[in-house]
Amino acid sequence: MQERPAAMAMAKLASSSPLVLALVLVAAAMAAVATSDAGDRLCHEDLMNAAAHCQNYLTHPAEPKIPPSEKCCRAVGDVTIPCLCSFVTEQFEKGVCMEKLVFVFDYCNNPLRPGCKCGSYKVPPLGLGLEGNDC
């Protein structure tokens, strides 16, 4: 599957700053909502809320991993894992550090199940004793 030039440009910009990361997330979610139903709109709203409160904890590189704020955790708690994974594309993965995303969701007690695949990323075991949610 070939990427569109606009998607490639968004991915390049997303790697440059947290603000641009948030814009990439908004653009991706808005594109999905354009043809969605009420459940998808709720998913979109939850993701946008999480992006607004968690963007500083999700940028590349993978280290250091910083414990997220209470606001971030509240927002992450509202995101269902199937909703999250429906937005994980190659472009998303270029702008969001998936290792940090898994860390944040795990830290906030909304873990992704080890072995779960979101986009091309396979969730490793984190060893925090949490079972994890469905993909």
Side-chain angles (χ1 to χ4, degrees), residues 10 16 36 39 59 77 90 94 101 111 113 122 128:
M10 283 194 333
S16 64
S36 66
T59 56
E90 186 177 331
K94 288 179 182 176
L101 183 139
R113 181 177 39 81
K122 184 175 179 182
L128 296 180

Side-chain angles (χ1 to χ4, degrees), residues 36-112:
S36 66
D37 62 13
D40 289 339
R41 281 192 295 279
L42 180 59
C43 167
H44 167 260
E45 290 171 12
D46 291 343
L47 283 174
M48 291 304 90
N49 190 40
H53 294 293
C54 302
Q55 65 181 343
N56 293 331
Y57 308 104
L58 301 174
T59 56
H60 292 282
E63 296 297 335
K65 290 177 181 70
I66 302 166
S69 67
E70 285 184 35
K71 281 185 180 181
C72 173
C73 281
R74 281 194 299 274
V76 161
D78 291 337
V79 176
T80 67
I81 302 309
C83 168
L84 168 68
C85 289
S86 73
F87 282 92
V88 177
T89 62
E90 186 177 331
Q91 297 89 357
F92 182 95
E93 290 180 52
K94 288 179 182 176
V96 174
C97 177
M98 292 300 291
E99 286 182 44
K100 284 185 175 178
L101 183 139
V102 170
F103 170 79
V104 167
F105 273 68
D106 198 58
Y107 185 93
C108 296
N109 296 314
N110 190 10
L112 284 81

